[in-house]
Amino acid sequence: MTTISTGLPAVTDDTFADDVLASDTPVLVDFWAAWCPPCRMIEPVLAEIAEERAGTLTIRKINSDENTRTSMAYQVLALPTMILFRGGEPIRTFVGARPKSRLLADIDAALED
């Protein structure tokens, strides 16, 4: 697993199943690209959430440009797209950067369903 500048673990097409789908905890996957300014804006927010929710929520990054197989499989058409997985299944998709408070509220609401 490689990391990007915030230290968030990154996954690839080859590691996605093991690192995301097989996880015992819910996983928020951030589909991003280096050329995407909103992707850079959400990066520190995700790092904060990862630290605050350690043990109950896992956050992973995947570079959409370098991992097209996974991006296509989950129909990622805009960046950033964050998909919340629980039990190996996608349960909610969030498109676009958003403030930390809104993202946390959206995650919590999805996990309550």
Side-chain angles (χ1 to χ4, degrees), residues 52-73:
E52 292 170 6
R53 298 283 177 101
T56 60
L57 177 69
T58 301
I59 298 182
R60 297 290 181 258
K61 308 277 290 175
I62 185 165
N63 185 315
S64 290
D65 288 342
E66 296 172 359
N67 299 280
T68 56
R69 189 172 69 230
T70 303
S71 296
M72 289 182 354

Side-chain angles (χ1 to χ4, degrees), residues 29-107:
V29 179
D30 177 33
F31 291 80
W32 70 284
W35 51 263
C36 169
C39 297
R40 289 191 297 274
M41 289 172 44
I42 196 78
E43 205 173 322
V45 171
L46 294 173
E48 286 179 23
I49 293 171
E51 188 175 314
E52 292 170 6
R53 298 283 177 101
T56 60
L57 177 69
T58 301
I59 298 182
R60 297 290 181 258
K61 308 277 290 175
I62 185 165
N63 185 315
S64 290
D65 288 342
E66 296 172 359
N67 299 280
T68 56
R69 189 172 69 230
T70 303
S71 296
M72 289 182 354
Y74 292 100
Q75 300 175 348
V76 173
L77 302 175
L79 298 177
T81 290
M82 292 160 279
I83 302 177
L84 183 60
F85 290 82
R86 182 173 51 198
E89 297 294 325
I91 61 169
R92 191 74 47 91
T93 300
F94 313 107
V95 179
R98 57 195 64 205
K100 179 181 174 184
S101 59
R102 181 170 165 215
L103 182 56
L104 282 171
D106 292 342
I107 291 168

